[in-house]
Amino acid sequence: MSWFIRFSLGLKARKSDVEELKKELPELFKSPFDIIKYDRVLHEYPFIWHRFYDPESIIEALHEWVRNELDNEVYIPQQGQECRAPNCPMKTSSQSIQSDGSGLLNLQVAAGGPKAKPPKDSFLNLVKQTHPNSDMPREIILTDPYIYSDVSEDGKDGGYNNLLDYLSALGLSKDDSFILRMTPSPKRGTKKSRMLLHRFLKKNYKNITLKDYSPKLKFHDRFYVVLHRSGAIRGLFGPSLNGLNSDAIVLMGDIEGIQPNQKLQQWFC
């Protein structure tokens, strides 16, 4: 419980504090999280709780406290939640988190840049946060127009391996059976590049089924959509997979909200 003392005194979070919190309070790193309201806690522990109005404010402050030690991890607020404490860290957070109240955009992650790590790790962490391991994918739809190109626009290769890492981040093992649908009109999608990627994927996932999504669907943006075995549909928007190793600046996030999810159901189900 050393993290508790450090948090109470306003000291900086260490990596060991983050690991301890992950072990003791795993709910803080999930979304949505259930909050049990205990009004008496305000009276029993005034030395720390005097700064907050309710448990929601405490959770928001804990998220912000560990944020700087979570290298490229995604900070997830409760959907539609508003921090009501006057000095709430959410109001001054440097991380880009936006919500319009309807859940249209639950979280955003900005990554890349000339003095930063490539955005790959941030992207994969976002994938893990969005798709629970307990609900395996049945079908995956990728609208990335450059999916058949292993090399990015700035000459960095690794697009094929990034696709494997994306499938692994979804919790898929090499023996799992699933469908992968990709664009019927790819950029740089020659007959040879199609053959190379299909062969590469089947070598690593022997039970994969490769298909195109409907040619009637034309996408400008890169969507990474998963139909889970439970029937749930979840997705992300972000950069092309072949650009995850470059220093390009990208903005990515999960697709949330009733209207976007209805559209995903309409397009892909």
Side-chain angles (χ1 to χ4, degrees), residues 188-232:
R188 309 176 193 168
T190 64
K191 185 177 181 179
K192 181 179 180 180
S193 65
R194 283 175 175 265
M195 180 192 68
L196 288 174
L197 180 58
H198 288 188
R199 182 186 299 169
F200 180 78
L201 287 168
K202 290 179 179 179
K203 179 181 178 181
N204 288 276
Y205 290 94
K206 62 181 181 180
N207 294 317
I208 190 174
T209 300
L210 297 169
K211 297 182 178 181
D212 291 342
Y213 57 75
S214 172
K216 296 180 180 180
L217 299 173
K218 296 180 174 62
F219 295 94
H220 178 275
D221 296 313
R222 287 78 162 145
F223 296 146
Y224 300 85
V225 180
V226 177
L227 308 180
H228 290 270
R229 294 179 185 176
S230 67

Side-chain angles (χ1 to χ4, degrees), residues 27-46:
E27 296 84 358
L28 288 175
F29 302 87
K30 299 178 182 178
S31 178
F33 44 78
D34 296 324
I35 299 173
I36 302 175
K37 296 181 181 293
Y38 290 112
D39 293 335
R40 62 181 175 82
V41 77
L42 299 174
H43 302 288
E44 294 184 7
Y45 303 100

Side-chain angles (χ1 to χ4, degrees), residues 51 98 100 134 147 201 229:
R51 292 187 288 158
Q98 300 177 5
D100 63 357
S134 58
I147 191 68
L201 287 168
R229 294 179 185 176

Side-chain angles (χ1 to χ4, degrees), residues 4 58 62 109 141 163 165 172-173 183 201 227:
F4 182 83
I58 298 168
L62 279 170
V109 178
I141 302 101
L163 175 53
D165 291 337
L172 290 165
S173 69
T183 175
L201 287 168
L227 308 180

Side-chain angles (χ1 to χ4, degrees), residues 8-25:
S8 304
L9 296 176
L11 299 176
K12 183 180 177 181
R14 304 165 300 181
K15 286 189 176 181
S16 59
D17 299 322
V18 175
E19 293 304 317
E20 192 175 357
L21 271 172
K22 284 183 177 180
K23 181 179 179 181
E24 296 185 3
L25 299 174

Side-chain angles (χ1 to χ4, degrees), residues 128-177:
K128 293 174 185 177
Q129 294 283 359
T130 303
H131 301 281
N133 289 334
S134 58
D135 193 1
M136 294 297 293
R138 171 174 56 86
E139 190 168 337
I140 301 162
I141 302 101
L142 306 181
T143 72
D144 182 357
Y146 295 97
I147 191 68
Y148 288 102
S149 177
D150 187 51
V151 181
S152 66
E153 291 183 2
D154 56 2
K156 301 288 180 63
D157 59 8
Y160 290 2
N161 284 323
N162 291 342
L163 175 53
L164 288 186
D165 291 337
Y166 166 74
L167 297 175
S168 177
L170 290 173
L172 290 165
S173 69
K174 295 188 176 183
D175 295 323
D176 285 328
S177 176

